[in-house]
Amino acid sequence: MKEIYKEYFRGNLPHIWCSGCGNGIVMSAWARAMDQLQLDKNQCVGVSGIGCSSRITGYLDINTLHTAHGRALPFATGVKMAKPEMHVFVFSGDGDCAAIGGNHFIHACRRDMDMTLIVFNNHIYGMTGGQFSPLTPFGKKSTTSPYGTVDPDFDLCKLAIGAGASFVARGDIFHAKQLTDLIVEAHNHPGFAVIEVMATCPISYGRHNKIPKPADMVNYLKENTVSKVRADKMTPEEVADKIVVGILHQHEPLEYTKEYAKLVKRLQGGEK
């Protein structure tokens, strides 16, 4: 395991994240996935926006871009359009992706470009003050909802499916081996792949909601996740309060850069 970390991290550890934060587990799952994929690091790009999870690009030993808040996907789109052969990984938080970056997220799903987006969902704006995000569960507390948020949260995976993403999955930090496998499968899918990762934030989220111990937050994921295969056999009432993990949707993509290349070739040949 140490050899994997030496291979895919820049060596500037320990990381900046708080004790009990789930982001390090996601980062190590990505490193193990890279080891399985055996990609040329010079042909890999990591792109992130702003937030706790977006600090990941400071540690990865690949080409990286740390961009503006909510703008990771448009930067990644530019990279993929300029160099379609590159393996592009995008890292975003629930606020970064679903709030200020929400419009970019919808259109990235629609274009179905061959990239892998990993969304760290810890239900909160962890870095910028502990505000509630579009993925903060209804009734939960934050610095901007001290009596519980009345905003209904939405399902990011359902949004991705509805917007056209051809690979949509959900993982969590307790099932780290499954998360690694999902990252591998997402990369191998030839279209836009979205993985929502249920992570933990004991400081900005847990303290406000009376679950400050990291172990309690991880045990919650252990006890309340259910596989897609199992969920399909359960009644709506049985699955209502569960977190469904695994590959939730997959279809053959009409990949954007390939279609764009066909258009260019046709126009260069004099066709209209």
Side-chain angles (χ1 to χ4, degrees), residues 166-230:
S166 56
F167 182 102
V168 181
R170 183 184 291 115
D172 68 285
I173 64 165
F174 177 79
H175 299 94
K177 173 61 170 62
Q178 181 196 41
L179 178 56
T180 298
D181 294 340
L182 287 175
I183 295 171
V184 170
E185 292 188 73
H187 169 269
N188 288 336
H189 177 77
F192 190 60
V194 179
I195 307 175
E196 179 188 26
V197 184
M198 309 308 292
T200 53
C201 177
I203 303 300
S204 294
Y205 182 80
R207 286 189 306 164
H208 286 290
N209 292 284
K210 298 182 179 179
I211 40 174
K213 293 183 179 180
D216 290 339
M217 300 190 81
V218 174
N219 280 329
Y220 177 84
L221 293 172
K222 174 186 177 182
E223 294 165 4
N224 289 279
T225 51
V226 60
S227 71
K228 175 67 164 58
V229 174
R230 184 181 167 198

Side-chain angles (χ1 to χ4, degrees), residues 139-183:
K140 295 302 182 181
K141 296 180 179 180
S142 70
T143 56
T144 49
S145 58
Y147 306 107
T149 177
V150 295
D151 281 32
D153 55 305
F154 62 77
D155 187 322
L156 190 73
C157 290
K158 287 182 179 178
L159 176 61
I161 294 168
S166 56
F167 182 102
V168 181
R170 183 184 291 115
D172 68 285
I173 64 165
F174 177 79
H175 299 94
K177 173 61 170 62
Q178 181 196 41
L179 178 56
T180 298
D181 294 340
L182 287 175
I183 295 171

Side-chain angles (χ1 to χ4, degrees), residues 41-61:
K41 292 193 297 182
N42 292 321
Q43 294 297 307
C44 295
V45 182
V47 187
S48 65
I50 294 296
C52 293
S53 58
S54 294
R55 295 298 296 268
I56 188 174
T57 48
Y59 304 110
L60 308 185
D61 189 20

Side-chain angles (χ1 to χ4, degrees), residues 22-207:
N23 291 352
I25 297 175
V26 184
M27 184 168 69
S28 63
W30 175 87
R32 291 193 299 272
M34 286 288 289
D35 186 61
Q36 290 186 36
L37 292 165
Q38 288 294 296
L39 304 176
D40 180 353
K41 292 193 297 182
N42 292 321
Q43 294 297 307
C44 295
V45 182
V47 187
S48 65
I50 294 296
C52 293
S53 58
S54 294
R55 295 298 296 268
I56 188 174
T57 48
Y59 304 110
L60 308 185
D61 189 20
I62 57 175
N63 302 290
T64 54
L65 291 171
H66 191 181
T67 74
H69 200 187
R71 310 301 185 227
L73 282 168
F75 274 84
T77 297
V79 171
K80 190 67 178 180
M81 286 298 294
K83 291 185 174 293
E85 72 278 7
M86 300 293 279
H87 307 282
V88 180
F89 296 90
V90 186
F91 305 95
S92 193
D94 49 304
D96 184 60
C97 176
I100 191 170
N103 197 46
H104 297 306
F105 174 72
I106 291 169
H107 293 292
C109 293
R110 177 177 65 86
R111 292 189 182 100
D112 210 9
M113 194 172 288
D114 187 11
M115 304 186 294
T116 300
L117 169 64
I118 300 174
V119 182
F120 298 61
N121 182 7
N122 57 15
H123 303 307
I124 204 79
Y125 279 92
M127 175 180 285
T128 56
Q131 305 95 325
F132 70 88
S133 83
L135 304 187
T136 302
F138 178 81
K140 295 302 182 181
K141 296 180 179 180
S142 70
T143 56
T144 49
S145 58
Y147 306 107
T149 177
V150 295
D151 281 32
D153 55 305
F154 62 77
D155 187 322
L156 190 73
C157 290
K158 287 182 179 178
L159 176 61
I161 294 168
S166 56
F167 182 102
V168 181
R170 183 184 291 115
D172 68 285
I173 64 165
F174 177 79
H175 299 94
K177 173 61 170 62
Q178 181 196 41
L179 178 56
T180 298
D181 294 340
L182 287 175
I183 295 171
V184 170
E185 292 188 73
H187 169 269
N188 288 336
H189 177 77
F192 190 60
V194 179
I195 307 175
E196 179 188 26
V197 184
M198 309 308 292
T200 53
C201 177
I203 303 300
S204 294
Y205 182 80
R207 286 189 306 164

